[in-house]
Amino acid sequence: MAKTAKTQAATAGTAYQLLPVIGPSGGMDLRTSPTLIPPDRARSLVNFTLTEPGALVVRPGHLAFSTSSLGSGRIQGAQRVYLNTALPSANSTIFTIVGFSGSLYVQSDSGGWPTSAATAVLTGLSTATELSFPSDRDLVAVFDGVNLPKKSTNGSSWTRFGIAPSAVGPTLSSQSSGAMTAGTYDITFTYKDRDLGTESNGSSTSAAVVIAGSTGAIRVVATNSTDLQVDAIVVYAMKTSAGETVRRRASSQAQSAGTDSTIVLTSTTWTTNDEEPTDHTVPPVLSFGVVWKNRWWARPATITNRLHFTQLFQPQSWPALFYIDMPFERGDAIQALVPLGDALLVFGTTKIFIIIGQTSLDFEVRPTIASQDGALGFRSVAVLENGVVHAGGAGIWIFDGTTDKLLSFELEPAWRDLVKNASVTALAKVALVYHEHQKELRVAIPRRFPSGTDGEFVLDLNQTRTTQQSAWSATPRTIGGYVLWDGPETQAGNRGRLFSWHSSMAQLFEESVGTSANSSNLVAEYEGPALTLGTFRGRWNDCRIEYEPHAGTFAVEPLVDGFTLGSQTVGIAGGGAEYGTAEYGVDTYGGGFSRKQAYVLFPLT
């Protein structure tokens, strides 16, 4: 016969049921319920750093770098630019360029602007689009996707990127004093910037002239260019009556004052055999670009799956047929470009293509079979050691040239919330940066779960290697983008500094400095694992804390079934004299703090 079921009296253990917390060294995990989170993980980890495993350490703060704000509104782009810096010297030109409200400003290394009125070095750009600042060792350009690109060699003077040819051909007349033989001549001219060695194509229309005798000359009148970078006129000629089919360089001189320049050709012995340039075409309107394999590469504003590139070693020459149409599927568009060794990664919205270039002369476009996602915008990519991190619609990934690996597995609820609720325009402004000095990947987003406001996710690379899992934390920062000083800085202490700009004020802030939030309290939040009793009732009595005395405040707030039982403050200052600050007789105690313990009794209710 089966045994009869009997009730059993409830018993209580004689010892505490402990919930050990060994420190959030594993970072946040938003996918797992609090009762299943392991003791080295956190449900919420805001403004805490993972640099010291086994402890809650508040991350370094941030301070305003710009001495003043240019105004309310978002900075459209900023970049640290290094020109002529093969060997850091007095000839190096290093500056920080900032784009705001359709104008460009140079931010000094001390945080000031050029004048008290913050005079712009360039105006007339789009006020609504993001600004891209590709650069090589000689010049930096600005692309806004609306206007023709501009360029500068010093940050303060900006001219057109490329030189447009004259739409009017030269005016020719024969002269009697010279050594030119009889015949018919065809002549054009180009504009030239002697400083950079840049030259335009030939004038749009050519002119012909006939010399009757054997001692003639040709007077060439060329319309001057209004482009400030042009300082010379180059004349090209050919003798069509002698069967010549290519115009060659005949003479050049500085552009004269006034509206026209006059050049007299007296000999058919051309100065060089240089042919008239025909591929020095000015670039179209461009949205963003990079420099790779001794060429500039950029996406145009209109045909968004097209990638234009320049002539070899000629950044201002964009031949009309020098482009690649990326074979994207489903109407995709180029979202970002990342040079990586012999490969140029081309990110679409959902796919990655690779352009392989073993030399600067031959290129091959290859699809990636194992790429899982694309990029949200041209700032949502960052080179991280041996791979490229890219933020796409499905998460944050690292691409090693062959396959994608998901880094944001622990952040899935937050990323789904972001993509679902943020606008396409806002998502396109998601910014990534790898701060090598702190070994942190930082991701600025317009919506952080669960707050629903601006924020930032931070991946600690050291802890990720140690724990073999993505070690994420968060900040409540309102960041529009980053500026990293990662080039050949000439001033000691400058290399590795990281700056950010606010999403609603035109001002730069320096990251990972100080202990405050720009002179305000830096509030850090940690929510760890929890106990579960199933169908039983239980009582949580207390918690014990070990701390190192420091300034600031610390509070404990227990939650039961999501309801708070109130917050209790723990005096972490130590309550007495601290080493290094108190005097004994005439001597000061030695440096260093001892650790202490605190006991917090929870409410019985």
Side-chain angles (χ1 to χ4, degrees), residues 445-468:
I445 52 177
R447 179 183 174 90
R448 181 178 64 86
F449 179 85
S451 67
T453 57
D454 293 71
E456 180 187 40
F457 289 128
V458 182
L459 178 66
D460 188 299
L461 267 293
N462 288 330
Q463 283 303 106
T464 296
R465 290 189 183 95
T466 301
T467 61
Q468 295 298 306

Side-chain angles (χ1 to χ4, degrees), residues 83 309 315 318 418 434 596:
L83 303 179
F309 58 95
W318 299 73
L418 169 68
Y434 174 49
K596 295 187 175 183

Side-chain angles (χ1 to χ4, degrees), residues 156-179:
S156 57
S157 301
W158 292 78
T159 53
R160 182 171 178 174
F161 192 42
I163 302 177
S166 172
V168 180
T171 301
L172 308 179
S173 58
S174 59
Q175 304 289 304
S176 58
S177 57

Side-chain angles (χ1 to χ4, degrees), residues 494-510:
N494 274 353
R495 184 172 174 84
R497 297 172 70 182
L498 178 64
F499 301 84
S500 68
W501 67 81
H502 200 276
S503 63
S504 61
M505 69 174 71
Q507 190 172 11
L508 294 184
F509 294 82
E510 184 166 7

Side-chain angles (χ1 to χ4, degrees), residues 325-342:
D325 284 337
M326 306 305 298
F328 284 123
E329 303 171 355
R330 297 181 292 175
D332 208 344
I334 298 173
Q335 295 289 86
L337 303 169
V338 178
L340 196 66
D342 285 336

